[in-house]
Amino acid sequence: LIRAGNGGNGIVSFRHEKFIDKGGPDGGDGGDGGRVILRASHDENTLSAFRYKKLIAAEPGQPGGKRRKHGRSGKNLVVNVPVGTVVYGDENQILADLEFDNKQIVIAEGGKGGFGNAHFVSSRRQAPRIAEKGEMGDALDVTFELKSIADVGLIGLPNAGKSTLLSVISSAKPEIANYPFTTLKPNLGVVDIDANSSLLVADIPGLIEGASDGKGLGVEFLRHIERTKVLVHLIDSYSEDVAQDYKTIMTELKAYQVD
């Protein structure tokens, strides 16, 4: 749940000072509620920080004060997410697509502060005894999904050697073992080409026959392929049927429907 701050209430107040008779209304306005802002950052690699964090909330605005004092506005909450994060709302509606570094979007707008009674003074209404409540900030249930953005994606059946290749060509240290589905999340590695250029390589977890229908690790990791510029298909040379291994992966890629 993402919740922006509520606006602060305006107040009803009248001046009460010595030697000042009927000082008049001086109730201040409430402050605005803080916004919730999502920002894409290369410093974040996963969405694991949100696995157990069920509420992301910005500060509410403070109520107005006497002597026309304006309530303090709530601080905006800036939440860093990995580059490539897609935010879905109800009915899988895309609310935000943070596809490049430092892109920001206001995902929840804070409520406006209410007016105090000083705001309602007029020639006909000298002593208003009304004030506004602050507006509610936006509140919405969202789902975060990370679609890796890489120059090269390594694909293949489980145990085809993708993680091993990534560990050799980059400084990445993915888990490597001689059993299937060792890789449960995409691993990223930077491969230096020369002093001025490099490639971001993603090790996509092993696909199996029926992955596009949800089998194995399902479509969770086929999604990461959507934004990969080049796919490198690895096939185990010790396989009993190299041609069939190739056809299996190609069939799943063709069957996968991009959202």
Side-chain angles (χ1 to χ4, degrees), residues 8-258:
N9 296 332
I11 69 164
V12 174
S13 173
F14 294 88
R15 290 179 65 185
H16 296 285
E17 297 180 33
K18 193 174 182 180
F19 306 122
I20 299 179
D21 185 32
K22 297 179 181 180
D26 69 349
D29 302 338
D32 295 338
R35 297 170 164 178
V36 178
I37 301 170
L38 300 181
R39 178 173 63 194
S41 172
H42 279 313
D43 294 332
E44 303 293 330
N45 296 316
T46 72
L47 294 169
S48 59
F50 304 100
R51 179 172 297 174
Y52 302 109
K53 190 173 185 179
K54 302 303 182 184
L55 175 63
I56 300 172
E59 281 188 353
Q62 298 300 306
K66 297 181 178 180
R67 300 181 183 178
R68 298 178 183 256
K69 289 184 179 179
H70 196 288
R72 182 174 63 84
S73 293
K75 292 182 180 178
N76 293 334
L77 177 63
V78 180
V79 180
N80 288 332
V81 296
V83 176
T85 298
V86 181
V87 185
Y88 295 91
D90 295 336
E91 299 179 357
N92 284 331
Q93 177 189 7
I94 296 179
L95 303 178
D97 190 351
L98 301 156
E99 71 269 34
F100 56 84
D101 193 35
N102 283 326
K103 181 175 180 179
Q104 296 187 27
I105 186 167
V106 177
I107 195 69
E109 188 69 56
K112 296 292 184 183
F115 291 133
N117 67 332
H119 179 86
F120 297 102
V121 174
S122 68
S123 58
R124 293 187 177 182
R125 187 164 49 188
Q126 298 293 322
R129 296 180 177 274
I130 58 173
E132 289 182 336
K133 288 187 175 182
E135 296 179 358
M136 300 288 288
D138 292 340
L140 58 160
D141 287 313
V142 300
T143 300
F144 290 161
E145 180 180 271
L146 177 58
K147 294 184 178 181
S148 298
I149 300 175
D151 298 302
V152 179
L154 304 180
I155 61 172
L157 292 171
N159 265 25
K162 301 181 295 298
S163 297
T164 301
L165 177 60
L166 183 66
S167 69
V168 171
I169 62 177
S170 74
S171 58
K173 294 178 172 57
E175 183 178 352
I176 299 173
N178 61 351
Y179 54 83
F181 299 114
T182 307
T183 304
L184 297 178
K185 63 180 182 180
N187 293 305
L188 299 177
V190 177
V191 179
D192 294 324
I193 304 301
D194 53 39
N196 300 314
S197 59
S198 61
L199 292 174
L200 182 63
V201 180
D203 164 21
I204 309 298
L207 305 176
I208 64 171
E209 185 175 359
S212 58
D213 294 325
K215 294 183 179 179
L217 297 177
V219 298
E220 293 300 317
F221 301 109
L222 275 168
R223 293 178 185 273
H224 291 278
I225 298 174
E226 292 180 17
R227 296 179 175 178
T228 303
K229 297 175 183 177
V230 176
L231 297 178
V232 175
H233 188 169
L234 267 65
I235 301 176
D236 185 358
S237 60
Y238 291 99
S239 171
E240 296 179 358
D241 194 338
V242 171
Q244 184 56 45
D245 289 353
Y246 171 78
K247 291 178 181 178
T248 296
I249 296 300
M250 296 306 294
T251 298
E252 295 309 314
L253 293 180
K254 291 177 182 178
Y256 174 61
Q257 299 295 319
V258 177

